[in-house]
């Protein structure tokens, strides 16, 4: 049957048309975890919940949303920090490398320039590349601001897909590898970054103005699980909605503003 028609793409804004480097400033800071570090159990399951694999040895699969907290600094690594309220015409030109989503080692790897992790940043209207690196059948399930699926019967056969709408895209497996997760953030402006191993982040060349600084982290608590009808093994997990911490910031021309973002277990209740 014919594929459903794609929704019309919103008008693309001319990013950076009115950007003024002379008045731009920087927002930087650190994402800190307060209190005890949560203990997040993983899962023991065979590679696939299907009957043909149910008797295979069970392997350990970590919870994909477990927070990465540095024991010394209490910095939270891999948090997504971004700005809301930016006029894309006043933003710096888009400078994030293209995104490549790789399926390997039974995990989703989001590769963008030198960065490899669970999430990446895509300019609205640009294409991502998707590829499997394993000699087995994979299926990538895409939901949220984009809605499609891609099957990978063979390794190293890349395909591309444009992302046409702003928002967050969740990447999961369509083959029962329930622990696989990835995220894409699609927007018109480039003020997105990841916190480093000590929780530090920086958003340079930001135009002066009033914004919301957002720290985004997925929740590791399950919302629901689906079981295979024949084996009673987990075939799909859904998690509670991601947590966002929002702080207002006002940046003067040429200013460097330092912000501390605090997270704790109370934001992720059991």
């Amino acid at each position: 049957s014919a594929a459903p028609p794609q929704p019309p793409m919103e008008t693309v804004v001319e990013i950076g048309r009115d950007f003024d480097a002379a008045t731009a400033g920087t927002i930087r800071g650190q994402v800190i975890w307060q209190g005890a570090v949560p203990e997040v159990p993983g899962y023991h399951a065979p590679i696939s919940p299907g009957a043909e694999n149910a008797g295979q040895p069970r392997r350990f699969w970590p919870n994909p949303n477990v927070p990465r907290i540095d024991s010394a600094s209490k910095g939270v690594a891999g948090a997504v920090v971004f700005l809301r309220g930016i006029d894309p015409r006043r933003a710096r030109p888009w400078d994030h490398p293209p995104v490549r989503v790789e399926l390997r080692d039974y995990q989703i790897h989001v590769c963008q320039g030198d960065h490899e992790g669970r999430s990446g940043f895509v300019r609205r209207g640009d294409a991502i590349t998707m590829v499997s690196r394993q000699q087995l059948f994979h299926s990538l399930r895409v939901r949220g601001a984009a809605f499609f699926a891609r099957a990978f019967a063979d390794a190293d056969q890349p395909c591309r897909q444009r992302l046409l709408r702003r928002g967050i895209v969740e990447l999961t497996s369509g083959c029962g590898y329930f622990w696989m997760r990835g995220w894409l953030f699609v927007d018109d402006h480039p003020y997105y970054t990841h916190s480093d191993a000590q929780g530090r982040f920086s958003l340079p060349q930001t135009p002066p103005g009033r914004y919301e600084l957002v720290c985004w982290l997925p929740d590791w608590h399950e919302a629901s699980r689906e079981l295979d009808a024949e084996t009673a093994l987990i075939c799909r997990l859904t998690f509670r909605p991601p947590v966002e911490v929002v702080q207002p910031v006002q940046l003067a021309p040429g200013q460097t503003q330092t912000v501390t973002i605090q997270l704790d277990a109370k934001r992720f209740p059991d």
Side-chain angles (χ1 to χ4, degrees), residues 168-229:
I168 301 176
V169 175
E170 183 182 23
L171 310 174
T172 62
S173 169
C175 293
Y177 308 138
F178 62 85
W179 55 86
M180 292 174 60
R181 281 297 184 285
W183 306 86
L184 302 175
F185 293 76
V186 185
D187 212 329
D188 289 323
H189 69 77
Y191 296 102
Y192 284 78
T193 191
H194 296 100
S195 57
D196 68 11
Q198 283 75 48
R200 298 168 301 194
F201 65 88
S202 179
L203 295 167
Q205 295 184 294
T206 300
R210 294 179 61 88
Y211 309 111
E212 288 184 340
L213 180 68
V214 183
C215 176
W216 180 99
L217 205 67
D219 196 324
W220 60 87
H221 295 104
E222 290 183 31
S224 65
R225 60 170 63 182
E226 298 177 23
L227 302 181
D228 181 85

Side-chain angles (χ1 to χ4, degrees), residues 34-184:
Q34 289 190 315
V37 175
E39 296 183 6
V40 182
Y43 302 91
H44 286 88
I47 288 174
S48 172
E52 70 279 6
N53 295 300
Q56 290 186 352
R58 298 194 176 202
R59 296 171 55 177
F60 175 77
W61 310 103
N63 185 306
N65 296 340
V66 58
R68 294 154 46 206
I69 302 170
D70 180 65
S71 58
S73 67
K74 297 296 184 180
V76 181
V80 175
V81 181
F82 62 95
L83 293 179
R84 285 194 182 122
I86 287 279
D87 181 348
R89 293 167 296 188
R90 298 180 61 231
R92 72 173 188 261
W94 188 271
D95 54 0
H96 294 293
V99 165
R100 184 179 70 259
V101 177
E102 292 195 0
L103 309 178
R104 52 182 159 86
D105 308 321
Y106 300 103
Q107 299 289 351
I108 295 174
H109 300 261
V110 180
C111 307
Q112 188 163 26
D114 295 332
H115 181 269
E116 180 177 314
R118 301 254 185 221
S119 58
F121 314 126
V122 182
R123 179 180 175 178
R124 181 166 59 95
D126 284 356
I128 61 169
T129 300
M130 299 162 285
V131 63
S132 170
R133 300 301 187 192
Q134 290 186 269
Q135 295 291 346
L136 51 83
F137 183 79
H138 265 298
S139 176
L140 184 66
R141 188 172 181 264
V142 180
R143 296 293 184 267
F147 191 94
F148 62 90
R150 287 290 180 273
F152 299 89
D154 300 304
D156 303 317
Q157 299 294 316
C159 63
R160 289 166 56 83
Q161 175 74 37
R162 293 175 69 204
L163 301 184
L164 305 180
R165 291 190 173 275
R166 287 189 297 264
I168 301 176
V169 175
E170 183 182 23
L171 310 174
T172 62
S173 169
C175 293
Y177 308 138
F178 62 85
W179 55 86
M180 292 174 60
R181 281 297 184 285
W183 306 86
L184 302 175

